Amino acid sequence: MERRTRQREAIRRALVAAGRPLSPQEILADAQREVPGLGIATVYRTVKSLADDGEVTAVELPGGLTCFERRHQHHHHHFQCRGCQKVFEVHGCPGHLDRLAPAGFSVEGHELLLFGRCADCRTTP
Amino acid sequence: MERRTRQREAIRRALVAAGRPLSPQEILADAQREVPGLGIATVYRTVKSLADDGEVTAVELPGGLTCFERRHQHHHHHFQCRGCQKVFEVHGCPGHLDRLAPAGFSVEGHELLLFGRCADCRTTP
DNA sequence: ATAGATGCAAAGAGTTTGCATAGGT
DNA sequence: ACCTATGCAAACTCTTTGCATCTAT
């Protein structure tokens, strides 16, 4: 069974507090304010463990960055800011996407990413 | 100015022949049939050069894989097969995606990726 | 002949893993 | 006391870069 460690709790709190998907480095920086000696390997191991438990999900972004967010029950997508690179949740989905696939292909899912500028970066380039 | 080398031509031909986005490794394998000594560094340098010229565009997929395809003038999206991992072009776009973004955010673009099984992998798991 | 392109190997960046130790239970 | 979780460092993967050589012009 899994243990309740300061590191694990700090990582979970960082994700809860952010309310948006965080990169491993963002998680590290946030959680280190609580547990200064925290190492990046623990962040990777912990988010993987939390993902296995179904508590968080990975958000893989074009460019190779993988962020992590607390698991939601509802279908949603993401927005990435070109200014600060932060990732935000986007509610809703255009739907009717399966019909776009080539004939003979079976669509099992989809991902949609919007990009542009968040409210903060829109005013502060 | 740029030179017309066997390597560069083999890489361009691989992209034309495939008719779909190729990963650096796929490009290497295809182009090596024409130029056996071809190295992966040349593939990376060449696709970057072709991208700078506007002849190819990068297709960045969740998971960190970056593929390259010949540049199209029309807006389109992609499908990735969970069986063979190959990437295909998808025509059309659901449109009206900007409205999904949070208030105060400006949307400059979007990417849509469908995933599932291609026609080949649907019958051959 | 000149200068850009290539192949190799080394260097980076991000992520994962091995191992001794710390620390939850 | 036991055994998982941690921190460090090494290993790994993918991509980029330095450099001597090759080759298109």
Side-chain angles (χ1 to χ4, degrees):
Chain A
M1 60 168 287
E2 79 196 8
R3 294 176 182 181
R4 172 173 284 260
T5 63
R6 290 180 309 136
Q7 290 86 345
R8 189 182 185 91
E9 293 307 297
I11 288 167
R12 297 173 76 217
R13 267 193 286 274
L15 289 166
V16 171
R20 61 178 190 80
L22 296 181
S23 69
Q25 290 301 331
E26 287 177 321
I27 294 170
L28 181 66
D30 288 2
Q32 275 183 339
R33 280 187 271 131
E34 215 173 305
V35 184
L38 179 65
I40 189 68
T42 297
V43 173
Y44 280 106
R45 276 188 285 233
T46 302
V47 293
K48 189 164 197 273
S49 160
L50 292 172
D52 289 345
D53 296 348
E55 184 171 334
V56 310
T57 53
V59 180
E60 303 199 320
L61 298 158
L65 184 64
T66 299
C67 292
F68 298 87
E69 66 182 347
R70 291 204 303 153
R71 187 173 190 177
H72 285 81
Q73 48 282 59
H74 64 282
H75 179 74
H76 66 276
H77 295 295
H78 298 97
F79 177 101
Q80 185 172 32
C81 178
R82 281 173 163 173
C84 60
Q85 308 304 317
K86 286 180 186 167
V87 180
F88 301 87
E89 188 172 328
V90 154
H91 303 281
C93 176
H96 307 297
L97 300 174
D98 294 10
R99 63 176 170 73
L100 299 175
F105 284 34
S106 71
V107 179
E108 299 174 351
H110 64 262
E111 288 185 21
L112 172 64
L113 179 72
L114 304 180
F115 47 90
R117 302 202 138 244
C118 72
D120 286 350
C121 289
R122 197 174 180 180
T123 53
T124 316
Chain B
M1 61 167 287
E2 79 196 11
R3 294 174 182 181
R4 173 172 285 258
T5 63
R6 290 179 309 130
Q7 290 86 344
R8 188 182 186 92
E9 294 307 298
I11 289 167
R12 297 174 76 218
R13 267 192 287 274
L15 289 166
V16 171
R20 61 177 188 83
L22 296 182
S23 68
Q25 290 301 331
E26 287 177 322
I27 295 170
L28 179 68
D30 288 2
Q32 275 183 338
R33 279 187 271 131
E34 214 173 305
V35 184
L38 179 65
I40 188 67
T42 297
V43 173
Y44 280 106
R45 277 188 285 235
T46 302
V47 294
K48 187 166 198 272
S49 159
L50 293 172
D52 289 344
D53 297 348
E55 183 171 335
V56 309
T57 54
V59 180
E60 303 198 321
L61 298 158
L65 184 64
T66 299
C67 292
F68 298 87
E69 66 183 347
R70 291 205 303 153
R71 186 172 191 177
H72 284 79
Q73 47 282 63
H74 65 283
H75 179 75
H76 66 276
H77 295 292
H78 298 97
F79 177 102
Q80 185 173 31
C81 178
R82 282 173 163 172
C84 61
Q85 308 303 318
K86 286 180 186 167
V87 180
F88 301 87
E89 188 172 329
V90 154
H91 303 280
C93 176
H96 306 297
L97 299 175
D98 294 10
R99 63 176 172 76
L100 299 175
F105 283 35
S106 70
V107 179
E108 299 175 352
H110 64 262
E111 289 186 20
L112 173 64
L113 178 73
L114 304 180
F115 47 90
R117 302 201 139 246
C118 72
D120 286 352
C121 290
R122 196 174 179 181
T123 52
T124 317

